[in-house]
Amino acid sequence: TSFPELTLSYGNFLASCPGYTEETEASTPIAKRAQVFCGQKKGAWYDQDLTVSPLQTDCDTYFRYTGQGNILATQDLAKAFAAETTIKKLNLNHLQLKRGRERAIDGILQDIETFSDDELSQLIEAYKRLDSDGNHVPFCGAVVYILEQFRA
């Protein structure tokens, strides 16, 4: 491996998330599954200065999202190149991820006009917290970003 000292590091496990797979052509004798995003997609690539990790306390400041589920780099020029590189290397705009983000955003926006500013703030804080199993809600970063656009 390129970084043997990181083999059992929690951050390394996080960065090597399995992602999803897609079937190859059905006409092949044994349909193989190919990695399409996340850790396996990036392969051995790692650059400390260009990798944005979810373990970074300011990770959310590197990205923006659209209502259609696209992830974009921040407009902060000091962070944009790292964000763009991470998006590209991990294939974070893969159709499956975009659809997942879009569904999460659509689900929360159905009643957004009925929320007061206080209720909206409470909802944002709820999405930022871990659930009872110690996990974040899937695509919470995208949902929080979109909800914050509705704050007064």
Side-chain angles (χ1 to χ4, degrees), residues 14-33:
L14 179 77
S16 64
C17 67
Y20 294 100
T21 57
E22 290 180 328
E23 293 293 335
T24 58
E25 293 180 32
S27 62
T28 58
I30 299 174
K32 296 181 180 178
R33 298 174 76 77

Side-chain angles (χ1 to χ4, degrees), residues 55-111:
L55 297 176
Q56 291 174 232
T57 56
D58 66 342
C59 173
D60 60 326
T61 65
Y62 282 78
F63 303 106
R64 300 176 292 136
Y65 300 89
T66 69
Q68 295 75 39
N70 291 300
I71 185 170
L72 308 169
T74 180
Q75 293 177 326
D76 179 342
L77 296 179
K79 297 178 177 180
F81 189 64
E84 289 168 2
T85 302
T86 298
I87 291 167
K88 180 180 175 185
K89 292 291 187 178
L90 298 180
N91 198 17
L92 297 180
N93 269 321
H94 185 274
L95 184 59
Q96 285 178 281
L97 289 173
K98 285 172 33 175
R99 285 182 179 161
R101 287 190 289 263
E102 184 176 25
R103 281 191 298 272
I105 291 165
D106 286 349
I108 200 68
L109 290 183
Q110 291 177 5
D111 299 318

